[in-house]
Structures are given as C-alpha cells and as structure tokens.
Amino acid sequence: MTEPTSAREHVQAWMDKYQAAWTSNRPEDIRALFTADAVYETRPHDPHSWKGQDGIVDAWLAARDEPDDWTFSWELLGVDGDTAFVQGVTTYSGDRPTYDNLWVIRLDPGGRASAFTEWFMERG
C-alpha cells in the first residue's frame, strides 16, 4: 500500500502555476490547475461556486485581473494530508485596494486542485 500524497509535495509547483495562469489568463493554464470535477469557492460555502474545469475557466475569465494590475506574495501556513493552507497578500495597482488572502487547497495525487476555497479581506 502506498502512502497518500501530501499537499506539501505539490503546493509550490501549484502556486507557481496558479500565478502563471493569473498572469496569462489562458484557458489551458487555468484548466491545468484543477481536476475535471473541481470546485472553486470564492468564499466558504459559496452558493455560486465554480464547478468543473470549464466552469472554473469561464468564471475566472469573467472576473479576470490583467497581468500588470497586481502583485501577489504568499507563504505556506501548513498542510494536513492532501490539503494546503496558504496565506497571501494581493496588491492591486492604482487606487485599488490591497487584500489579505487565506486559501485552502485540496490537491490530488497528481498535483491538481480538487477543491479550492478562498477568503479575502480588504486591508483597512
């Protein structure tokens, strides 16, 4: 019997790919982050969660950020089995606000997210 894959093994690569997709907004980059049946919640228990790769791509592109409009930094807070906990800061250009982020990412053995939940709060 093989040991389950830990999120720690995949989180750095996944975060790098997420930031690359955030920059490119290319559907194939976004799709590659998620399993076929993934759920992306923009808040906990999101009644309008993005479902499946195509649903995630469509919603992502509808809410897209342009590559020169933001910077993002993050740190891994911890992992529990297949789940990673990431704290981040998103800073937007111009007069747009800065956000503190908490992401909970459930990763499959291949390193794709099967579930993603984000919390974001504007800095006061």
Side-chain angles (χ1 to χ4, degrees):
M1 184 168 169
T2 61
E3 286 293 310
T5 303
S6 168
R8 189 173 308 278
E9 296 174 45
H10 296 295
V11 69
Q12 179 69 54
W14 193 88
M15 291 297 297
D16 291 346
K17 291 174 187 172
Y18 188 99
Q19 287 178 263
W22 196 353
T23 300
S24 75
N25 288 311
R26 292 174 48 203
E28 58 272 22
D29 293 344
I30 301 163
R31 190 174 285 108
L33 291 165
F34 299 97
T35 62
D37 60 348
V39 176
Y40 187 125
E41 295 182 307
T42 60
R43 63 178 191 245
H45 311 290
D46 188 349
H48 306 289
S49 61
W50 308 349
K51 294 183 173 120
Q53 288 172 328
D54 291 339
I56 292 169
V57 167
D58 291 346
W60 178 308
L61 293 176
R64 73 191 278 163
D65 290 322
E66 295 306 318
D68 295 332
D69 288 347
W70 56 270
T71 61
F72 181 73
S73 61
W74 67 277
E75 67 177 299
L76 179 63
L77 295 179
V79 298
D80 183 12
D82 65 355
T83 304
F85 306 93
V86 171
Q87 182 175 7
V89 177
T90 307
T91 304
Y92 287 99
S93 61
D95 293 334
R96 295 174 62 198
T98 294
Y99 292 91
D100 288 293
N101 312 107
L102 175 64
W103 293 356
V104 177
I105 311 156
R106 178 162 291 135
L107 296 164
D108 77 355
R112 289 184 177 206
S114 61
F116 177 93
T117 304
E118 63 181 336
W119 288 255
F120 56 91
M121 182 177 295
E122 184 177 332
R123 286 196 172 173

